[in-house]
Amino acid sequence: MAMHTRRATLTPKVLSYSGLAVVLLIVLIPYGYIALTAFKPAEEIFDVRWLPRVWSLDAWRYAIEFEQFHVYIYNSMIAGLGAAVLALCVAVPGAYVFGRKQFRGKDVMFYIIVMALLFPFVLLVVPFTILWVKIGLYDTMPGLWLAYQVFIIPFAIWILRAYFAELPRFLEECAMVYGCTAFKAFWRVMLPLAKPIITSLMFLAFLVGWNDFLFSNMLTTGQGPRTASVIIYVSAVGGERVEWDVLMVMTLMAGIPPVLLYILAQGQFLKTFAVRSY
Amino acid sequence: MAENIGIRVHNLRKTFQRGRVQACRNVNLQLAEGALMVLLGPSGCGKTTTLRCIAGLEQPDNDDAIWVKGRNITRLQPKDRNLAFVFQDTALFPHLSIRRNISFGLDMHKTYGRSERRRRVNEVAELLHVEDLLERKPHEVSGGQAQRVALGRAIVMEPDAFLLDEPLANLDAALRVEMRTEIKRIQKHLGITTIFVTHDQEEALSLGDVIAVMRDGEVQQVGTSHEIYHYPVNFFVATFIGSPPLNCLPCHVQTDNGALNLASQAFRLPLEAAGGTASLRDHGEIMLGIRPESIAIAPERPDTVAARVSLIEPLGSRTIVILEAEGVELRALVQGETSVREGEAVHLRLDLGRAFFFDNAGNRL
Amino acid sequence: MARQEALHPGHPIDISPALPAAAAASRPRPVAAERWLIWLFLLPTVLFLVLLLWLPFLQGVWMSFHKWPFIGEPEWIGLQNYRDLFGAAYFWTTIRVTLLYSLSTALQLALALAAALALNQSFIPLKSVWRGVMLMPYAMPPVVVGAIWMYLLDPDLGMVTHYLLSWGIISKPIYWFSDPLWAKWIIMLVASWTFWPFMFIILLAALQAIPESYYELAEVYGANLWRRFRVVTLPHIRGAMLAAVIIRIAWNLAKIEQPFQLTGGGPGYETSVLSILTYRFAYLSGDFGMAFTVGLLLILVTFVLIAPFLHGFQKQIKQARRR
Ligand SMILES: Nc1ncnc2c1ncn2[C@@H]1O[C@H](COP(=O)(O)OP(=O)(O)OP(=O)(O)O)[C@@H](O)[C@H]1O
Ligand SMILES: [Mg+2]
């Protein structure tokens, strides 16, 4: 019996630890290597070794002083913030209604919205470019915010609707009996209750703006609000010779903030991503 | 007379899904100011819908359905009705403290200043014995306490009426009995018109000044506990009320040499014992309803019925004896314990004077 | 019935006035304020999705029947774009690459499942740290991840090439991104490395929602590790798994930044997945009509690929509802 128990608990341990180790190595080796590269002086890029012989901040200085990369980081931030705020203003009321109210055509409408989740957004680049030029949104920040919504809104509504639907029944009705209008019941009761999930969706929406390359590249020019993603793309693909040390600095600068966000909010993200099969 | 009517529900009609579901066909209720009425009926009979119409959470089909203190409020917004609704699931606001929950209605209306609101909340909390919980969150109190808080939230508004929709349904049995007494005490103390919905007949009988029995979206009978139990207007009310349930036997009335006899599969009994039996003469097939306590085990006589004991269910102070007579199952309720054994052959005396007779349509004769 | 009777000639009493009122009463009246709120709240969502998604999409469908140059007048050509496309050899290359690229979803699922199962064990210490580390590739902009792999796979300076050479696995540097044999595999592998944490987080969330008591019960009945997985774990995460696969297939096919950055669709059309092909037509050839023709086929391919999973997911939903 004792033997049996020992074996039964040992197998999952061995399996789990080895699985974990393999996955962690797959993720960590590349990151470790490029993080160290960012601290190598330019001439050390040419030989492959892990630790820099001389620790140097040259690449960082170059990225900021010469490439002005912090400006693009700032652009990315504004792009993400605007996208998040706009997305919430649109998606939260919509999801609330889908989650808790009855009206005609609700199921069909919801279906159409969620299907948009599976839509290949690259298709929209062409019509957007034409439209944006026509209405003056081309090469502007609001133009980017607006464009990102096609990624964000379907996803946000999908997630939020389920959350609202699962809140206890009768809450708004109760609020209305005790003196709220329908809107006040939403504002004073439902919104505070959904705060955690709304925060987490705000983070995710921010990351859509921060991480996006497709629209940022197509809907802006060199004179406009280029985001960090676009600059990284240009630096990696554009010239004849790539300054790898500088590029790795840029990847760290653009890559670390979202990672911090994820680490900060991972518990909440887990709840957000809990797919309900109903 | 008219001015002290607390709530009047007039020909209330409420349909769902474009008239396909008739939740309330035609509900009429009237209760005096300060009275406590219990709305009793089986699941799905429209109790909740009636209450929600009164509160304004549903819109009745007709425009003159809901009157409170002589005012037609049928089309008023819920927030403007000054009625307090307590839901079956507690529906405390999870993100607010108990204090903020109780004062929610006051906070929304802002008729009183901050310190006055505070004072009122404290007063109500004391009345309900939740004064120590005020700073907690709803998930930190027990089910019974939460239900008290929900009541407190209603009381503090000083509403024109309380509407309670099965407020005790989710509590355990002991707590339910305790809260029942408490609600009645508070209601008498405050003198606020109250409608209490339940489908638990024991709760209804013990609680209400007046009981309204509903079925399929219509009120069947309104009366005191005594009236409902002893003088049901129809077969439905008679069978719905009473535990153990009413014994029902299809019978027919026979006339032998001018004497009326009641005959069934199991027996044939003379009817003179029952008062006002003359009217039965015109009906051939009738339904006999007799309460278990009106059946007694007795020594054999010409007017007793032979039966066999099939099961005994002791309830402590009383005992239910389940009997079988010629294929008909009967239940008798005996005070204390009984000396009969399962399987024993016995004789029953049916107290026809306290029995009910119903015609084919279910109306009481 | 009653109305007919009333209208019947010779019927003395007209009862029809009572009827309209009764008919009106049978329709439930919405609470006015609430109706107002519903439509107001829906308006932005509907407006956004109609204006930003469905209208441009319909315009695109319209464009696919035209020769639609960047500058100049569009010309109606009917199905010519479709005919041209099906007749072109590169189109079939593209389809083949697209299918290979979508296989990335399977790889992502395998990695995600292994990581989620491992991390869900109660005895693992520092869970949230590992979880954070695993989420890194997905959290970062895909272009950033692309740049990292461009560096690591660089034929002259890259770490991967260096180690493969020094361990003798390859004899001379491979130009991963321009090698016709390797390029399509590389973009597939990089996509897997980038996007698997999305599935991981969905699966982990589903795993965490399984009550411990199920496992205990299974253990009481003597179920071994594999049976416990089959009987307890799998049924509980099937819905999440299907949803993750559906979304990932669709998003993998729609996201162009990485192949775009790593290979630009080349060599030739060897890594031009459909989304890249759309892009190439639109921006390199300036042929918007053709771009959209490809785009519509991309939608078609996407739906064909997700259809079985969508079907499974819907079945799962029905089962959950019945329970
Ligand atoms: N929103 C609605 N849409 C459609 N039908 C409804 C709706 N609300 C109630 N009904 C129907 O109306 C009838 C009465 O429902 P109601 O909730 O009033 O019953 P009840 O007497 O409160 O029952 P219970 O004791 O189970 O609470 C039921 O048949 C119910 O299915
Ligand atoms: Mg009810």
Side-chain angles (χ1 to χ4, degrees):
Chain A
M1 189 63 214
M3 272 301 291
H4 175 79
T5 319
R6 170 95 36 89
R7 251 218 0 251
T9 54
L10 203 61
T11 333
K13 270 195 178 169
V14 171
L15 276 177
S16 301
Y17 277 117
S18 46
L20 200 61
V22 169
V23 175
L24 283 175
L25 286 180
I26 290 177
V27 174
L28 278 178
I29 288 178
Y31 279 124
Y33 188 75
I34 61 122
L36 291 168
T37 302
F39 294 97
K40 289 177 188 166
E43 60 276 11
E44 276 190 44
I45 296 301
F46 296 102
D47 44 327
V48 174
R49 51 176 283 135
W50 280 78
L51 288 180
R53 275 195 204 93
V54 184
W55 290 79
S56 146
L57 285 177
D58 286 354
W60 294 82
R61 215 168 289 128
Y62 187 86
I64 290 172
E65 278 167 16
F66 188 78
E67 299 270 2
Q68 297 281 301
F69 196 65
H70 58 283
V71 174
Y72 303 111
I73 291 283
Y74 174 78
N75 282 348
S76 288
M77 204 173 77
I78 299 300
L81 279 178
V85 170
L86 188 57
L88 291 187
C89 292
V90 174
V92 171
Y96 169 71
V97 168
F98 277 112
R100 296 192 71 92
K101 303 284 179 189
Q102 305 303 326
F103 54 93
R104 265 215 283 164
K106 174 168 137 167
D107 290 346
V108 175
M109 263 166 90
F110 185 68
Y111 200 61
I112 290 176
I113 289 176
V114 172
M115 280 327 252
L117 210 57
L118 308 178
F119 193 85
F121 298 104
V122 61
L123 281 189
L124 295 175
V125 171
V126 175
F128 272 23
T129 314
I130 297 173
L131 186 67
W132 264 219
V133 170
K134 228 183 263 171
I135 60 178
L137 281 175
Y138 187 74
D139 216 8
T140 66
M141 204 42 113
L144 288 182
W145 294 339
L146 216 55
Y148 296 148
Q149 298 312 315
V150 295
F151 299 126
I152 305 171
I153 289 179
F155 189 72
I157 287 187
W158 184 48
I159 300 271
L160 268 172
R161 184 204 68 119
Y163 188 85
F164 275 125
E166 275 171 29
L167 288 175
R169 294 161 68 202
F170 304 135
L171 280 177
E172 304 102 309
E173 295 189 336
C174 196
M176 278 159 78
V177 169
Y178 291 104
C180 290
T181 56
F183 178 78
K184 217 167 167 190
F186 163 75
W187 189 255
R188 296 286 295 257
V189 177
M190 302 311 282
L191 214 52
L193 281 174
K195 209 156 68 186
I197 195 122
I198 289 178
T199 315
S200 120
L201 275 176
M202 203 167 111
F203 285 158
L204 290 173
F206 172 83
L207 291 179
V208 167
W210 180 280
N211 289 358
D212 176 73
F213 165 73
L214 185 63
F215 284 132
S216 324
N217 187 39
M218 304 304 163
L219 300 177
T220 63
T221 65
Q223 280 85 50
R226 296 237 112 158
T227 61
S229 288
V230 180
I231 299 305
I232 288 176
Y233 166 78
V234 172
S235 315
V237 180
E240 324 71 85
R241 206 175 67 79
V242 181
E243 317 253 16
W244 288 113
D245 52 339
V246 180
L247 188 57
M248 290 308 113
V249 168
M250 290 180 182
T251 64
L252 288 182
M253 282 173 74
I256 286 174
V259 168
L260 288 182
L261 256 189
Y262 255 85
I263 288 173
L264 203 79
Q266 55 174 309
Q268 194 51 50
F269 281 165
L270 265 179
K271 284 191 204 121
T272 309
F273 283 110
V275 174
R276 295 144 179 94
S277 44
Y278 45 81
Chain B
M1 174 69 201
E3 48 270 34
N4 54 20
I5 292 176
I7 298 179
R8 181 163 154 240
V9 178
H10 173 69
N11 293 345
L12 166 66
R13 199 180 137 74
K14 173 65 193 172
T15 53
F16 291 106
Q17 298 172 4
R18 316 193 156 263
R20 260 177 287 148
V21 179
Q22 301 195 326
C24 297
R25 290 166 197 275
N26 184 13
V27 177
N28 285 287
L29 293 169
Q30 188 159 316
L31 74 158
E33 237 182 295
L36 170 65
M37 176 185 270
V38 174
L39 210 51
L40 176 67
S43 193
C45 71
K47 307 180 295 288
T48 298
T49 307
T50 304
L51 216 57
R52 287 169 60 85
C53 285
I54 298 175
L57 296 170
E58 304 284 359
Q59 289 284 300
D61 296 357
N62 52 328
D63 278 323
D64 55 347
I66 313 293
W67 301 68
V68 170
K69 291 189 171 169
R71 206 158 57 105
N72 181 356
I73 60 164
T74 313
R75 298 297 177 218
L76 238 51
Q77 292 253 333
K79 71 182 173 70
D80 301 325
R81 296 187 179 210
N82 197 28
L83 302 174
F85 198 112
V86 175
F87 292 83
Q88 178 172 346
D89 326 359
T90 329
L92 291 183
F93 302 117
H95 62 302
L96 299 179
S97 66
I98 298 297
R99 172 184 294 285
R100 296 287 307 281
N101 260 289
I102 295 181
S103 70
F104 188 84
L106 297 179
D107 294 345
M108 289 301 126
H109 286 103
K110 296 245 165 70
T111 3
Y112 303 111
R114 181 184 294 260
S115 61
E116 175 64 9
R117 276 182 278 166
R118 224 183 145 73
R119 195 186 62 72
R120 281 168 187 260
V121 170
N122 289 341
E123 208 176 280
V124 168
E126 241 163 80
L127 181 71
L128 290 165
H129 312 298
V130 292
E131 62 269 38
D132 299 333
L133 311 175
L134 284 175
E135 306 313 323
R136 294 197 199 167
K137 284 281 177 70
H139 64 90
E140 294 166 331
V141 305
S142 73
Q145 289 165 338
Q147 206 49 269
R148 270 172 221 265
V149 174
L151 274 176
R153 184 172 57 185
I155 292 170
V156 80
M157 301 250 300
E158 298 179 343
D160 288 342
F162 287 147
L163 307 172
L164 312 177
D165 188 6
E166 308 200 25
L168 309 180
N170 292 345
L171 304 183
D172 66 54
L175 200 54
R176 200 150 64 210
V177 174
E178 188 191 317
M179 284 294 290
R180 188 159 88 196
T181 319
E182 189 132 343
I183 289 181
K184 191 158 182 169
R185 178 178 66 78
I186 291 168
Q187 195 270 335
K188 290 279 169 282
H189 173 74
L190 300 172
I192 290 181
T193 319
T194 301
I195 299 184
F196 186 108
V197 165
T198 179
H199 59 228
D200 178 344
Q201 47 159 311
E202 191 195 320
E203 202 164 274
L205 293 175
S206 73
L207 197 57
D209 302 340
V210 198
I211 296 169
V213 182
M214 278 187 75
R215 177 201 190 186
D216 286 349
E218 283 180 21
V219 176
Q220 304 284 303
Q221 183 174 6
V222 181
T224 61
S225 304
H226 185 81
E227 285 165 352
I228 299 274
Y229 190 78
H230 294 287
Y231 307 100
V233 294
N234 59 25
F235 184 66
F236 170 77
V237 175
T239 48
F240 186 68
I241 304 285
S243 164
L246 188 75
N247 293 297
C248 305
L249 300 155
C251 295
H252 48 268
V253 181
Q254 294 174 335
T255 320
D256 288 349
N257 315 327
L260 276 185
N261 278 313
L262 192 63
S264 86
Q265 202 175 332
F267 56 78
R268 183 184 164 85
L269 295 171
L271 257 179
E272 55 266 311
T277 50
S279 64
L280 293 178
R281 197 183 296 271
D282 310 330
H283 297 269
E285 302 292 322
I286 59 167
M287 181 65 85
L288 165 71
I290 184 161
R291 297 238 176 256
E293 61 266 34
S294 305
I295 298 181
I297 295 168
E300 180 172 7
R301 284 202 352 210
D303 61 348
T304 55
V305 177
R308 180 173 299 279
V309 178
S310 51
L311 266 180
I312 294 180
E313 292 177 1
L315 297 178
S317 65
R318 299 164 304 166
T319 306
I320 302 171
V321 183
I322 301 170
L323 305 128
E324 193 243 277
E326 300 292 331
V328 180
E329 193 178 80
L330 292 171
R331 271 156 218 270
L333 190 65
V334 190
Q335 289 303 319
E337 283 169 21
T338 178
S339 54
V340 297
R341 300 286 175 94
E342 288 175 9
E344 198 177 324
V346 293
H347 290 270
L348 305 176
R349 200 180 62 240
L350 276 52
D351 185 353
L352 290 185
R354 290 167 62 196
F356 315 127
F357 304 99
F358 306 98
D359 65 14
N360 286 334
N363 297 314
R364 173 128 177 260
L365 298 170
Chain C
M1 273 303 279
R3 182 176 275 268
Q4 271 174 5
E5 242 167 69
L7 299 176
H8 197 271
H11 202 286
I13 310 161
D14 183 17
I15 57 165
S16 53
L19 284 169
S26 73
R27 197 174 312 137
R29 257 203 228 185
V31 187
E34 182 145 282
R35 292 287 105 178
W36 186 80
L37 178 99
I38 289 176
W39 295 118
L40 189 78
F41 274 26
L42 275 181
L43 191 69
T45 302
V46 171
L47 220 59
F48 262 68
L49 290 178
V50 168
L51 291 184
L52 288 181
L53 209 98
W54 297 113
L55 271 189
F57 171 69
L58 289 179
Q59 193 203 357
V61 175
W62 173 246
M63 284 161 85
S64 76
F65 297 114
H66 289 77
K67 185 156 193 60
W68 197 298
F70 191 66
I71 305 160
E73 278 302 294
E75 174 198 344
W76 174 270
I77 52 168
L79 289 175
Q80 191 56 45
N81 281 333
Y82 292 87
R83 247 173 270 138
D84 287 352
L85 199 61
F86 287 129
Y90 61 77
F91 176 67
W92 299 106
T93 314
T94 295
I95 292 283
R96 217 173 325 113
V97 182
T98 304
L99 293 181
L100 175 72
Y101 193 59
S102 67
L103 268 188
S104 154
T105 309
L107 207 57
Q108 291 172 39
L109 180 64
L111 259 176
L113 194 60
L117 284 174
L119 204 61
N120 194 42
Q121 303 299 325
S122 50
F123 50 78
I124 302 275
L126 298 176
K127 273 193 182 140
S128 59
V129 175
W130 307 135
R131 205 164 53 193
V133 168
M134 288 179 183
L135 292 175
M136 274 165 60
Y138 184 69
M140 293 187 177
V143 178
V144 163
V145 176
I148 290 172
W149 281 102
M150 280 180 85
Y151 174 48
L152 295 176
L153 291 170
D154 188 274
D156 303 321
L157 314 172
M159 179 183 81
V160 174
T161 318
H162 173 82
Y163 282 119
L164 289 180
L165 277 173
S166 62
W167 293 336
I169 297 177
I170 54 177
S171 52
K172 61 178 184 354
I174 295 179
Y175 286 75
W176 304 102
F177 301 116
S178 48
D179 186 300
L181 186 69
W182 282 105
K184 50 182 180 283
W185 288 96
I186 289 298
I187 59 164
M188 195 271 257
L189 289 173
V190 172
S192 308
W193 192 87
T194 314
F195 296 114
W196 73 272
F198 177 81
M199 285 193 161
F200 163 73
I201 196 166
I202 287 184
L203 292 183
L204 190 62
L207 283 175
Q208 288 188 345
I210 304 176
E212 189 60 29
S213 57
Y214 284 105
Y215 288 106
E216 285 163 5
L217 197 70
E219 208 154 353
V220 168
Y221 284 101
N224 61 19
L225 200 60
W226 169 243
R227 299 258 340 142
R228 285 209 293 275
F229 176 75
R230 278 292 319 253
V231 175
V232 181
T233 312
L234 202 57
H236 276 97
I237 62 170
R238 188 174 289 136
M241 234 154 89
L242 288 167
V245 167
I246 292 166
I247 296 184
R248 231 23 285 169
I249 290 180
W251 287 1
N252 281 352
L253 292 185
K255 286 223 162 201
I256 68 160
E257 41 254 87
Q258 280 189 348
F260 185 65
Q261 173 189 23
L262 299 179
T263 64
Y269 286 89
E270 277 307 317
T271 59
S272 288
V273 289
L274 279 167
S275 50
I276 295 279
L277 193 64
T278 302
Y279 177 85
R280 284 173 80 154
F281 272 117
Y283 283 87
L284 303 184
S285 334
D287 187 348
F288 285 180
M290 201 60 166
F292 237 95
T293 308
V294 176
L296 291 179
L297 289 169
L298 170 57
I299 293 191
L300 193 71
V301 169
T302 306
F303 273 86
V304 168
L305 287 180
I306 65 175
F309 302 102
L310 210 53
H311 179 75
F313 187 61
Q314 268 161 353
K315 218 163 66 185
Q316 194 74 16
I317 289 175
K318 267 191 217 121
Q319 261 172 23
R321 287 231 175 100
R322 214 172 303 131
R323 240 181 270 132

